[in-house]
Amino acid sequence: MLKKGVNFITVGVLALQGAFREHINSIKKCGANAQEIKFPEQLKNIDGLIIPGGESTTINKLIKKYNFKIYLDDFYNSGKVIYGTCAGLILIAKKVINEDFGLGYIDIEVERNSYGRQIDSFEEYISLEFDSGKKFKAIFIRAPRIINAGPEVDILSKINNNIILARQKNVLVSTFHPELQDDTRIHEYFLKMIKNHKKV
Amino acid sequence: MEKGTLKLKTGLAEMLKGGVIMDVTTVEQAKIAEEAGAVSVMALERIPADIRAAGGVARMTDPEIILKIMNAVTIPVMAKCRIGHFAEAQILEAIGIDYIDESEVLTPADEKYHVNKWDFKVPFVCGATNLGEALRRIGEGAAMIRTKGEAGTGNVVEAVRHMRTIRDEIKKVASLPKEELMTVAKEMGAPYELVLNVHETGKLPVVNFSAGGISTPADAALIMQLGADGIFVGSGIFKSENPMKMAKAIVEATTHFNNPEILAKVSKGLGNAMYGMELSKIPKEELLSVRGW
């Protein structure tokens, strides 16, 4: 567990709806600071942002209602690190099939609820490209699927030919929910991305 | 690959947190709810206020109505089965419903036993009025709890009572010395392991939403400040004068439940909320929250 050298990092978790408390707990477990983001001005005070799982339609409506977009664009353009899980991935993708949302921070095309309804939700042990240790138990809940990924997207994990964890520069996405697990390796990787960005 | 695990069942409830689940009876209402920002809809033949008015036996909704609603929206869809009616639950699972509410709003099918929810891959939410009842349901496999309130009344007083009761009982269990927990489990009629879990964590082992009588943004904020993870609004939206406006306002109030400026803004000009009933005027045999054992 990465406890050292991250206590100066503050991660914001978008707290409009969904599993934001779980991400805050995971970040704190890694030794960094975490705070809820309910208003766009709060983005100024943080080093990295997590957009959590929840209902993407609901979170999208609240992002619009509270004028988050220009602040999020500034945050992204400044090169600060953003991590989207499940609904969060959908919200920051370049293209979402049958929907008009997608902030366009990562060059992927996504289909919502692509594996089916709740009865098709599943758990699977996956390999992480950046960690040769034991497999990671991934929780997929009404998960989206990455249908296409652009050439600049690095694939960090796949199952059955589906990309489930990916990165493009300072943007990280997963179609599953590491915040529902005690295993914090993906949050640690995210914190390392922030550390590297702060050094530059 | 594993499916239907407890983690996946409770996980979906985690994703609904901070959101509003709305009762709908038609495709049009379901679309209004989704457009307003609902995290899920409960597909019903009649909303609780109308079930109350109609009397007679209230049963599971016709699967055709539920399927139409499932096809009309992209958010998860829930439906109710009667308490103890595991055949209704099997039918709901077979049509691919996302969550089953074993609900006191429908007429109970069993006067003694609830559905054994471990038999199902689909997750269940169950009503509770106190900690013992919540832990019994979790012991039977419920992946989400819903404080009952008194559905279809437009009166939030019972929802408040149930939230406060559960919150106070959790605090008590967390503060007791360990040697007292077995006796507490016996008195509450709750499984010892779950009482021990509450003692150690200071919270329910699953997500707890609040239901029954929530009719305004202020009601939603009140119940969220009392510690609910999210809310169910039954009759409160489609019995109000302007459902879309009311639904949007309740969604915002649930997100910003502790911000009075926003609550004031969203509460303005909503038109009439649903008619509210004084609970002492309802005959005891017509109360819904006492159903469930």
Side-chain angles (χ1 to χ4, degrees), chain B residues 5-290:
Chain B
T5 65
L6 185 60
K7 194 88 194 172
L8 294 167
K9 292 173 173 178
T10 56
L12 178 55
E14 302 283 354
M15 296 309 138
L16 300 176
K17 279 190 308 195
V20 184
I21 301 167
M22 301 182 192
D23 280 1
V24 298
T25 58
T26 63
V27 165
E28 291 68 36
Q29 288 183 355
K31 285 185 171 161
I32 290 172
E34 187 175 48
E35 178 58 34
V39 290
S40 173
V41 290
M42 178 78 69
L44 291 171
E45 213 154 277
R46 280 181 297 205
I47 54 175
D50 293 335
I51 292 176
R52 195 175 272 288
V57 171
R59 311 181 181 92
M60 175 187 78
T61 299
D62 183 332
E64 193 173 296
I65 296 177
I66 301 172
L67 280 164
K68 275 186 188 156
I69 290 170
M70 285 165 64
N71 289 331
V73 295
T74 62
I75 53 179
V77 178
M78 303 187 172
K80 292 183 193 290
C81 76
R82 284 179 265 179
I83 289 173
H85 206 316
F86 50 84
E88 283 186 350
Q90 288 160 0
I91 292 167
L92 292 173
E93 181 171 62
I95 64 169
I97 201 80
D98 295 304
Y99 238 96
I100 297 176
D101 182 3
E102 187 182 16
S103 177
E104 71 283 357
V105 170
L106 305 183
T107 311
D110 194 314
E111 293 183 317
K112 210 169 168 190
Y113 305 111
H114 283 248
V115 173
N116 175 23
K117 292 159 277 284
W118 297 111
D119 283 346
F120 292 80
K121 284 203 178 328
V122 59
F124 278 73
V125 53
C126 285
T129 58
N130 56 50
L131 183 58
E133 193 176 9
L135 296 181
R136 284 196 293 283
R137 298 294 86 79
I138 297 166
E140 291 158 358
M144 178 178 180
I145 290 295
R146 164 178 66 67
T147 54
K148 289 179 187 170
E150 189 59 34
T153 60
N155 189 338
V156 80
V157 67
E158 288 299 296
V160 168
R161 186 205 313 277
H162 301 154
M163 270 313 297
R164 280 197 186 277
T165 302
I166 289 183
R167 195 177 70 162
D168 292 352
E169 287 173 325
I170 288 173
K171 276 189 190 150
K172 188 182 157 214
V173 167
S175 68
L176 289 174
K178 223 169 175 177
E179 66 271 18
E180 294 186 18
L181 297 181
M182 184 58 86
T183 301
V184 166
K186 180 184 147 196
E187 285 165 358
M188 281 187 175
Y192 174 76
E193 281 67 30
L194 292 176
V195 173
L196 185 64
N197 179 291
V198 170
H199 172 75
E200 284 166 353
T201 61
K203 60 185 193 63
L204 276 182
V206 302
V207 165
N208 180 24
F209 272 47
S210 189
I214 299 166
S215 336
T216 65
D219 286 352
L222 170 69
I223 220 81
M224 289 296 287
Q225 287 186 40
L226 287 174
D229 290 317
I231 59 170
F232 283 87
V233 184
S235 319
I237 288 167
F238 292 100
K239 282 282 175 196
S240 72
E241 196 178 329
N242 191 336
M244 177 62 101
K245 225 171 160 183
M246 182 64 86
K248 281 186 173 170
I250 292 179
V251 167
E252 279 186 60
T254 304
T255 293
H256 292 292
F257 63 88
N258 50 11
N259 187 314
E261 284 80 29
I262 291 182
L263 296 174
K265 209 162 98 186
V266 303
S267 298
K268 281 182 198 159
L270 294 176
N272 289 329
M274 75 176 281
Y275 173 75
M277 297 164 81
E278 171 58 50
L279 287 167
S280 59
K281 304 270 159 58
I282 302 173
K284 279 214 159 48
E285 61 277 12
E286 289 180 19
L287 290 174
L288 305 176
S289 61
V290 296

Side-chain angles (χ1 to χ4, degrees), chain A residues 15-22 25 36 38-39 52-59 61-62 65-66 68 85-87 98-99 112-113 115-125 137-142 159-160 177 179-182, chain B residues 1-12 14-20 34-40 70-71 73-77 93-99 121-123 228-229 251-252 254-259 262 265-266:
Chain A
L16 297 174
Q17 189 274 319
F20 49 86
R21 254 174 275 152
E22 287 62 32
N25 293 341
E36 292 183 6
K38 293 227 180 223
F39 297 99
E55 267 313 306
S56 55
T57 53
T58 304
I59 302 174
K61 287 187 169 72
L62 293 165
K65 177 87 195 185
Y66 288 89
F68 267 93
T85 54
C86 196
N98 291 331
E99 302 286 354
R112 293 179 60 213
N113 306 331
Y115 296 89
R117 305 195 70 95
Q118 169 63 12
I119 40 173
D120 303 303
S121 292
F122 61 98
E123 299 179 7
E124 184 71 285
Y125 285 93
K137 191 177 188 180
I139 314 278
F140 296 82
I141 296 170
R142 289 169 44 90
I159 48 168
N160 305 328
H177 294 284
E179 77 281 8
L180 296 180
Q181 290 294 104
D182 290 330
Chain B
M1 185 183 293
E2 274 196 282
K3 291 186 178 184
T5 65
L6 185 60
K7 194 88 194 172
L8 294 167
K9 292 173 173 178
T10 56
L12 178 55
E14 302 283 354
M15 296 309 138
L16 300 176
K17 279 190 308 195
V20 184
E34 187 175 48
E35 178 58 34
V39 290
S40 173
M70 285 165 64
N71 289 331
V73 295
T74 62
I75 53 179
V77 178
E93 181 171 62
I95 64 169
I97 201 80
D98 295 304
Y99 238 96
K121 284 203 178 328
V122 59
D229 290 317
V251 167
E252 279 186 60
T254 304
T255 293
H256 292 292
F257 63 88
N258 50 11
N259 187 314
I262 291 182
K265 209 162 98 186
V266 303

